[in-house]
Amino acid sequence: MLDAGIWAAKFLLIIVLFLIIRSIGKRLINRMFDRAATNRKMSSGRIITLQKLVVNLFSYLLIFIFAGILFKQFGLEIGTLIAGAGIIGLAVGFGAQGLVSDVVTGFFILLEKQMEVGDYVTIGGVDGIVEEVGLRTTHIRSFDGTLFYMPNREISTLANHSRGNMRALVDIGIAYEENIDKAVKVLQAACDKVKENNENIIEGPNVLGVQTLGSSDVVIRIISKTKNGEQWAVERELRKGLKEALDTNGIEIPYPHQVNVDKGA
């Protein structure tokens, strides 16, 4: 009974030490990366990415060390466990290939800086913001709030939309009866007005001209170069300004019409 009490006390002491050391270690790691952020030697996204990765690696290492200490309390030598794990590893080696592939792929993603926390990416048909890049999984938060856990081995193609300036593109249709040259001038004037009040526009907007001839409209295309992540806001503002300009100048934007025929009249 006394031995059980002593063992329980040792167990609690080990758990308390684990929690204390983990807390101190995380604080030191966070402080180190906060200093790096202050010195501006790396981008903020890169700092957060590496910070989360180092914290995870520290936690895994700490768990392994304290697990070995706990095993020793049971009278089990860690060397014997490792040897046994080696034998078991031969049996499950083929099943662990996916895990190895995750780690290797994650390593090269981090090494090549393919994406960082805060980047807007498309991976495997999933669009969203990167919340964490680990050696095993990558966390993507979609725009509806869903959090996707993407195994790194499934990342065969990665589209990063956060590298460099982006392009805002707006197509707007006018009726076939309207004068195209006049419409182009009106739209360009509206684009110039939008640019005056929007600092997120880097280049343009420019009216390219007729893009397609639709079944009921002539589609005119407008493009603009914007700051990263601001292309959607610019597109929305352009659509509003273009619609108001066409209405002011009496240029029709086609829309479906319904005609009722009264046969009894």
Side-chain angles (χ1 to χ4, degrees), residues 181-195 204-209 220-223 238 242 245-246:
D181 292 333
K182 176 184 175 182
V184 168
K185 291 180 180 179
V186 169
L187 293 175
Q188 186 60 60
C191 289
D192 295 339
K193 184 177 179 180
V194 171
K195 183 178 181 178
N206 296 315
V207 180
L208 296 185
I220 299 176
R221 172 159 292 184
I222 298 95
I223 63 168
L238 278 173
L242 297 175
L246 292 178

PDB file of all heavy atoms in Angstrom, residues 181-195 204-209 220-223 238 242 245-246:
ATOM      1  N   ASP A 181     -18.945  52.202 -78.839  1.00  0.00           N
ATOM      2  CA  ASP A 181     -17.916  53.213 -78.571  1.00  0.00           C
ATOM      3  C   ASP A 181     -18.325  54.133 -77.427  1.00  0.00           C
ATOM      4  O   ASP A 181     -17.509  54.487 -76.564  1.00  0.00           O
ATOM      5  CB  ASP A 181     -17.634  54.028 -79.835  1.00  0.00           C
ATOM      6  CG  ASP A 181     -16.957  53.203 -80.928  1.00  0.00           C
ATOM      7  OD1 ASP A 181     -16.267  52.225 -80.559  1.00  0.00           O
ATOM      8  OD2 ASP A 181     -17.114  53.525 -82.118  1.00  0.00           O
ATOM      9  N   LYS A 182     -19.601  54.541 -77.449  1.00  0.00           N
ATOM     10  CA  LYS A 182     -20.092  55.398 -76.376  1.00  0.00           C
ATOM     11  C   LYS A 182     -20.046  54.652 -75.035  1.00  0.00           C
ATOM     12  O   LYS A 182     -19.630  55.215 -74.011  1.00  0.00           O
ATOM     13  CB  LYS A 182     -21.532  55.842 -76.675  1.00  0.00           C
ATOM     14  CG  LYS A 182     -22.148  56.668 -75.554  1.00  0.00           C
ATOM     15  CD  LYS A 182     -23.606  57.006 -75.837  1.00  0.00           C
ATOM     16  CE  LYS A 182     -24.230  57.733 -74.646  1.00  0.00           C
ATOM     17  NZ  LYS A 182     -25.668  58.034 -74.881  1.00  0.00           N
ATOM     18  N   ALA A 183     -20.459  53.375 -75.042  1.00  0.00           N
ATOM     19  CA  ALA A 183     -20.462  52.583 -73.809  1.00  0.00           C
ATOM     20  C   ALA A 183     -19.050  52.436 -73.256  1.00  0.00           C
ATOM     21  O   ALA A 183     -18.827  52.540 -72.042  1.00  0.00           O
ATOM     22  CB  ALA A 183     -21.082  51.212 -74.077  1.00  0.00           C
ATOM     23  N   VAL A 184     -18.076  52.217 -74.141  1.00  0.00           N
ATOM     24  CA  VAL A 184     -16.687  52.065 -73.698  1.00  0.00           C
ATOM     25  C   VAL A 184     -16.195  53.351 -73.033  1.00  0.00           C
ATOM     26  O   VAL A 184     -15.522  53.317 -71.986  1.00  0.00           O
ATOM     27  CB  VAL A 184     -15.780  51.680 -74.887  1.00  0.00           C
ATOM     28  CG1 VAL A 184     -14.306  51.801 -74.494  1.00  0.00           C
ATOM     29  CG2 VAL A 184     -16.085  50.261 -75.341  1.00  0.00           C
ATOM     30  N   LYS A 185     -16.519  54.500 -73.596  1.00  0.00           N
ATOM     31  CA  LYS A 185     -16.103  55.776 -73.023  1.00  0.00           C
ATOM     32  C   LYS A 185     -16.756  55.994 -71.656  1.00  0.00           C
ATOM     33  O   LYS A 185     -16.098  56.457 -70.710  1.00  0.00           O
ATOM     34  CB  LYS A 185     -16.466  56.919 -73.968  1.00  0.00           C
ATOM     35  CG  LYS A 185     -15.642  56.945 -75.256  1.00  0.00           C
ATOM     36  CD  LYS A 185     -16.062  58.110 -76.152  1.00  0.00           C
ATOM     37  CE  LYS A 185     -15.248  58.139 -77.436  1.00  0.00           C
ATOM     38  NZ  LYS A 185     -15.653  59.248 -78.345  1.00  0.00           N
ATOM     39  N   VAL A 186     -18.030  55.679 -71.551  1.00  0.00           N
ATOM     40  CA  VAL A 186     -18.740  55.843 -70.278  1.00  0.00           C
ATOM     41  C   VAL A 186     -18.140  54.927 -69.213  1.00  0.00           C
ATOM     42  O   VAL A 186     -17.913  55.340 -68.070  1.00  0.00           O
ATOM     43  CB  VAL A 186     -20.238  55.548 -70.469  1.00  0.00           C
ATOM     44  CG1 VAL A 186     -20.941  55.440 -69.115  1.00  0.00           C
ATOM     45  CG2 VAL A 186     -20.891  56.628 -71.315  1.00  0.00           C
ATOM     46  N   LEU A 187     -17.860  53.682 -69.577  1.00  0.00           N
ATOM     47  CA  LEU A 187     -17.301  52.724 -68.627  1.00  0.00           C
ATOM     48  C   LEU A 187     -15.892  53.124 -68.193  1.00  0.00           C
ATOM     49  O   LEU A 187     -15.542  53.000 -67.017  1.00  0.00           O
ATOM     50  CB  LEU A 187     -17.278  51.323 -69.252  1.00  0.00           C
ATOM     51  CG  LEU A 187     -18.641  50.686 -69.520  1.00  0.00           C
ATOM     52  CD1 LEU A 187     -18.480  49.358 -70.246  1.00  0.00           C
ATOM     53  CD2 LEU A 187     -19.399  50.468 -68.211  1.00  0.00           C
ATOM     54  N   GLN A 188     -15.088  53.627 -69.129  1.00  0.00           N
ATOM     55  CA  GLN A 188     -13.727  54.038 -68.773  1.00  0.00           C
ATOM     56  C   GLN A 188     -13.748  55.232 -67.824  1.00  0.00           C
ATOM     57  O   GLN A 188     -12.955  55.314 -66.880  1.00  0.00           O
ATOM     58  CB  GLN A 188     -12.925  54.373 -70.034  1.00  0.00           C
ATOM     59  CG  GLN A 188     -11.448  54.666 -69.762  1.00  0.00           C
ATOM     60  CD  GLN A 188     -10.730  53.486 -69.126  1.00  0.00           C
ATOM     61  OE1 GLN A 188     -10.658  52.395 -69.692  1.00  0.00           O
ATOM     62  NE2 GLN A 188     -10.193  53.700 -67.927  1.00  0.00           N
ATOM     63  N   ALA A 189     -14.676  56.162 -68.066  1.00  0.00           N
ATOM     64  CA  ALA A 189     -14.807  57.314 -67.167  1.00  0.00           C
ATOM     65  C   ALA A 189     -15.204  56.857 -65.763  1.00  0.00           C
ATOM     66  O   ALA A 189     -14.701  57.379 -64.754  1.00  0.00           O
ATOM     67  CB  ALA A 189     -15.839  58.296 -67.721  1.00  0.00           C
ATOM     68  N   ALA A 190     -16.087  55.871 -65.700  1.00  0.00           N
ATOM     69  CA  ALA A 190     -16.500  55.335 -64.402  1.00  0.00           C
ATOM     70  C   ALA A 190     -15.325  54.639 -63.714  1.00  0.00           C
ATOM     71  O   ALA A 190     -15.149  54.752 -62.496  1.00  0.00           O
ATOM     72  CB  ALA A 190     -17.662  54.359 -64.589  1.00  0.00           C
ATOM     73  N   CYS A 191     -14.500  53.930 -64.494  1.00  0.00           N
ATOM     74  CA  CYS A 191     -13.328  53.249 -63.924  1.00  0.00           C
ATOM     75  C   CYS A 191     -12.345  54.267 -63.352  1.00  0.00           C
ATOM     76  O   CYS A 191     -11.785  54.068 -62.268  1.00  0.00           O
ATOM     77  CB  CYS A 191     -12.640  52.414 -65.005  1.00  0.00           C
ATOM     78  SG  CYS A 191     -13.554  50.947 -65.523  1.00  0.00           S
ATOM     79  N   ASP A 192     -12.117  55.338 -64.075  1.00  0.00           N
ATOM     80  CA  ASP A 192     -11.203  56.378 -63.597  1.00  0.00           C
ATOM     81  C   ASP A 192     -11.702  56.997 -62.299  1.00  0.00           C
ATOM     82  O   ASP A 192     -10.907  57.320 -61.395  1.00  0.00           O
ATOM     83  CB  ASP A 192     -11.043  57.468 -64.664  1.00  0.00           C
ATOM     84  CG  ASP A 192     -10.376  56.939 -65.936  1.00  0.00           C
ATOM     85  OD1 ASP A 192      -9.691  55.891 -65.853  1.00  0.00           O
ATOM     86  OD2 ASP A 192     -10.556  57.568 -66.995  1.00  0.00           O
ATOM     87  N   LYS A 193     -13.012  57.149 -62.183  1.00  0.00           N
ATOM     88  CA  LYS A 193     -13.596  57.717 -60.974  1.00  0.00           C
ATOM     89  C   LYS A 193     -13.412  56.772 -59.784  1.00  0.00           C
ATOM     90  O   LYS A 193     -13.112  57.218 -58.667  1.00  0.00           O
ATOM     91  CB  LYS A 193     -15.090  57.994 -61.206  1.00  0.00           C
ATOM     92  CG  LYS A 193     -15.769  58.680 -60.043  1.00  0.00           C
ATOM     93  CD  LYS A 193     -17.219  58.989 -60.362  1.00  0.00           C
ATOM     94  CE  LYS A 193     -17.912  59.657 -59.185  1.00  0.00           C
ATOM     95  NZ  LYS A 193     -19.347  59.960 -59.485  1.00  0.00           N
ATOM     96  N   VAL A 194     -13.574  55.472 -60.022  1.00  0.00           N
ATOM     97  CA  VAL A 194     -13.375  54.489 -58.950  1.00  0.00           C
ATOM     98  C   VAL A 194     -11.923  54.501 -58.478  1.00  0.00           C
ATOM     99  O   VAL A 194     -11.636  54.429 -57.276  1.00  0.00           O
ATOM    100  CB  VAL A 194     -13.778  53.078 -59.432  1.00  0.00           C
ATOM    101  CG1 VAL A 194     -13.360  52.015 -58.416  1.00  0.00           C
ATOM    102  CG2 VAL A 194     -15.285  53.009 -59.678  1.00  0.00           C
ATOM    103  N   LYS A 195     -10.990  54.605 -59.424  1.00  0.00           N
ATOM    104  CA  LYS A 195      -9.567  54.587 -59.071  1.00  0.00           C
ATOM    105  C   LYS A 195      -9.189  55.766 -58.180  1.00  0.00           C
ATOM    106  O   LYS A 195      -8.344  55.639 -57.282  1.00  0.00           O
ATOM    107  CB  LYS A 195      -8.724  54.589 -60.345  1.00  0.00           C
ATOM    108  CG  LYS A 195      -7.226  54.497 -60.069  1.00  0.00           C
ATOM    109  CD  LYS A 195      -6.424  54.443 -61.339  1.00  0.00           C
ATOM    110  CE  LYS A 195      -4.931  54.318 -61.044  1.00  0.00           C
ATOM    111  NZ  LYS A 195      -4.114  54.225 -62.276  1.00  0.00           N
ATOM    112  N   GLY A 204      -4.704  50.450 -63.666  1.00  0.00           N
ATOM    113  CA  GLY A 204      -6.035  50.430 -64.251  1.00  0.00           C
ATOM    114  C   GLY A 204      -7.025  51.138 -63.350  1.00  0.00           C
ATOM    115  O   GLY A 204      -6.640  52.013 -62.580  1.00  0.00           O
ATOM    116  N   PRO A 205      -8.307  50.777 -63.422  1.00  0.00           N
ATOM    117  CA  PRO A 205      -8.944  49.779 -64.297  1.00  0.00           C
ATOM    118  C   PRO A 205      -8.982  50.253 -65.748  1.00  0.00           C
ATOM    119  O   PRO A 205      -9.140  51.435 -66.019  1.00  0.00           O
ATOM    120  CB  PRO A 205     -10.361  49.656 -63.714  1.00  0.00           C
ATOM    121  CG  PRO A 205     -10.314  50.342 -62.383  1.00  0.00           C
ATOM    122  CD  PRO A 205      -9.268  51.383 -62.489  1.00  0.00           C
ATOM    123  N   ASN A 206      -8.878  49.300 -66.647  1.00  0.00           N
ATOM    124  CA  ASN A 206      -8.897  49.592 -68.073  1.00  0.00           C
ATOM    125  C   ASN A 206      -9.988  48.793 -68.771  1.00  0.00           C
ATOM    126  O   ASN A 206     -10.166  47.597 -68.494  1.00  0.00           O
ATOM    127  CB  ASN A 206      -7.546  49.249 -68.705  1.00  0.00           C
ATOM    128  CG  ASN A 206      -6.427  50.119 -68.150  1.00  0.00           C
ATOM    129  OD1 ASN A 206      -6.566  51.329 -68.022  1.00  0.00           O
ATOM    130  ND2 ASN A 206      -5.311  49.488 -67.803  1.00  0.00           N
ATOM    131  N   VAL A 207     -10.718  49.460 -69.665  1.00  0.00           N
ATOM    132  CA  VAL A 207     -11.737  48.780 -70.465  1.00  0.00           C
ATOM    133  C   VAL A 207     -11.039  48.164 -71.676  1.00  0.00           C
ATOM    134  O   VAL A 207     -10.512  48.889 -72.534  1.00  0.00           O
ATOM    135  CB  VAL A 207     -12.835  49.763 -70.918  1.00  0.00           C
ATOM    136  CG1 VAL A 207     -13.886  49.019 -71.748  1.00  0.00           C
ATOM    137  CG2 VAL A 207     -13.483  50.425 -69.708  1.00  0.00           C
ATOM    138  N   LEU A 208     -11.034  46.842 -71.747  1.00  0.00           N
ATOM    139  CA  LEU A 208     -10.338  46.166 -72.849  1.00  0.00           C
ATOM    140  C   LEU A 208     -11.138  46.211 -74.134  1.00  0.00           C
ATOM    141  O   LEU A 208     -10.570  46.230 -75.231  1.00  0.00           O
ATOM    142  CB  LEU A 208     -10.053  44.714 -72.468  1.00  0.00           C
ATOM    143  CG  LEU A 208      -9.105  44.493 -71.281  1.00  0.00           C
ATOM    144  CD1 LEU A 208      -8.827  43.006 -71.113  1.00  0.00           C
ATOM    145  CD2 LEU A 208      -7.811  45.258 -71.460  1.00  0.00           C
ATOM    146  N   GLY A 209     -12.459  46.204 -74.019  1.00  0.00           N
ATOM    147  CA  GLY A 209     -13.313  46.197 -75.193  1.00  0.00           C
ATOM    148  C   GLY A 209     -14.274  45.029 -75.160  1.00  0.00           C
ATOM    149  O   GLY A 209     -14.546  44.452 -74.104  1.00  0.00           O
ATOM    150  N   ILE A 220     -18.589  43.433 -72.342  1.00  0.00           N
ATOM    151  CA  ILE A 220     -17.381  44.260 -72.331  1.00  0.00           C
ATOM    152  C   ILE A 220     -16.572  43.914 -71.074  1.00  0.00           C
ATOM    153  O   ILE A 220     -17.134  43.824 -69.978  1.00  0.00           O
ATOM    154  CB  ILE A 220     -17.740  45.751 -72.356  1.00  0.00           C
ATOM    155  CG1 ILE A 220     -18.512  46.078 -73.638  1.00  0.00           C
ATOM    156  CG2 ILE A 220     -16.485  46.621 -72.246  1.00  0.00           C
ATOM    157  CD1 ILE A 220     -19.005  47.515 -73.712  1.00  0.00           C
ATOM    158  N   ARG A 221     -15.269  43.740 -71.255  1.00  0.00           N
ATOM    159  CA  ARG A 221     -14.404  43.315 -70.142  1.00  0.00           C
ATOM    160  C   ARG A 221     -13.568  44.473 -69.618  1.00  0.00           C
ATOM    161  O   ARG A 221     -13.012  45.265 -70.378  1.00  0.00           O
ATOM    162  CB  ARG A 221     -13.501  42.173 -70.580  1.00  0.00           C
ATOM    163  CG  ARG A 221     -12.422  41.783 -69.562  1.00  0.00           C
ATOM    164  CD  ARG A 221     -11.912  40.378 -69.793  1.00  0.00           C
ATOM    165  NE  ARG A 221     -12.936  39.384 -69.512  1.00  0.00           N
ATOM    166  CZ  ARG A 221     -12.727  38.068 -69.563  1.00  0.00           C
ATOM    167  NH1 ARG A 221     -11.525  37.599 -69.912  1.00  0.00           N
ATOM    168  NH2 ARG A 221     -13.701  37.219 -69.281  1.00  0.00           N
ATOM    169  N   ILE A 222     -13.467  44.527 -68.276  1.00  0.00           N
ATOM    170  CA  ILE A 222     -12.648  45.522 -67.579  1.00  0.00           C
ATOM    171  C   ILE A 222     -11.688  44.780 -66.659  1.00  0.00           C
ATOM    172  O   ILE A 222     -12.100  43.852 -65.928  1.00  0.00           O
ATOM    173  CB  ILE A 222     -13.517  46.490 -66.747  1.00  0.00           C
ATOM    174  CG1 ILE A 222     -14.471  47.272 -67.653  1.00  0.00           C
ATOM    175  CG2 ILE A 222     -12.668  47.433 -65.931  1.00  0.00           C
ATOM    176  CD1 ILE A 222     -15.835  46.664 -67.775  1.00  0.00           C
ATOM    177  N   ILE A 223     -10.407  45.149 -66.651  1.00  0.00           N
ATOM    178  CA  ILE A 223      -9.443  44.522 -65.753  1.00  0.00           C
ATOM    179  C   ILE A 223      -8.682  45.597 -64.990  1.00  0.00           C
ATOM    180  O   ILE A 223      -8.574  46.755 -65.421  1.00  0.00           O
ATOM    181  CB  ILE A 223      -8.439  43.614 -66.498  1.00  0.00           C
ATOM    182  CG1 ILE A 223      -7.586  44.419 -67.467  1.00  0.00           C
ATOM    183  CG2 ILE A 223      -9.149  42.486 -67.198  1.00  0.00           C
ATOM    184  CD1 ILE A 223      -6.407  43.627 -68.009  1.00  0.00           C
ATOM    185  N   LEU A 238     -16.271  48.223 -58.590  1.00  0.00           N
ATOM    186  CA  LEU A 238     -16.353  48.480 -60.027  1.00  0.00           C
ATOM    187  C   LEU A 238     -17.746  48.170 -60.559  1.00  0.00           C
ATOM    188  O   LEU A 238     -18.304  48.949 -61.343  1.00  0.00           O
ATOM    189  CB  LEU A 238     -15.313  47.638 -60.767  1.00  0.00           C
ATOM    190  CG  LEU A 238     -13.887  48.183 -60.809  1.00  0.00           C
ATOM    191  CD1 LEU A 238     -12.949  47.162 -61.422  1.00  0.00           C
ATOM    192  CD2 LEU A 238     -13.833  49.490 -61.586  1.00  0.00           C
ATOM    193  N   LEU A 242     -19.918  50.956 -62.417  1.00  0.00           N
ATOM    194  CA  LEU A 242     -20.252  50.753 -63.832  1.00  0.00           C
ATOM    195  C   LEU A 242     -21.762  50.736 -64.053  1.00  0.00           C
ATOM    196  O   LEU A 242     -22.270  51.318 -65.017  1.00  0.00           O
ATOM    197  CB  LEU A 242     -19.626  49.446 -64.325  1.00  0.00           C
ATOM    198  CG  LEU A 242     -18.089  49.384 -64.296  1.00  0.00           C
ATOM    199  CD1 LEU A 242     -17.605  47.995 -64.683  1.00  0.00           C
ATOM    200  CD2 LEU A 242     -17.477  50.438 -65.207  1.00  0.00           C
ATOM    201  N   ALA A 245     -23.070  54.259 -63.819  1.00  0.00           N
ATOM    202  CA  ALA A 245     -22.694  55.064 -64.984  1.00  0.00           C
ATOM    203  C   ALA A 245     -23.546  54.732 -66.195  1.00  0.00           C
ATOM    204  O   ALA A 245     -23.985  55.634 -66.935  1.00  0.00           O
ATOM    205  CB  ALA A 245     -21.208  54.844 -65.301  1.00  0.00           C
ATOM    206  N   LEU A 246     -23.820  53.460 -66.401  1.00  0.00           N
ATOM    207  CA  LEU A 246     -24.662  53.064 -67.540  1.00  0.00           C
ATOM    208  C   LEU A 246     -26.087  53.581 -67.366  1.00  0.00           C
ATOM    209  O   LEU A 246     -26.712  54.043 -68.329  1.00  0.00           O
ATOM    210  CB  LEU A 246     -24.649  51.539 -67.688  1.00  0.00           C
ATOM    211  CG  LEU A 246     -23.320  50.905 -68.119  1.00  0.00           C
ATOM    212  CD1 LEU A 246     -23.437  49.382 -68.168  1.00  0.00           C
ATOM    213  CD2 LEU A 246     -22.871  51.436 -69.475  1.00  0.00           C
TER     214      LEU A 246
END
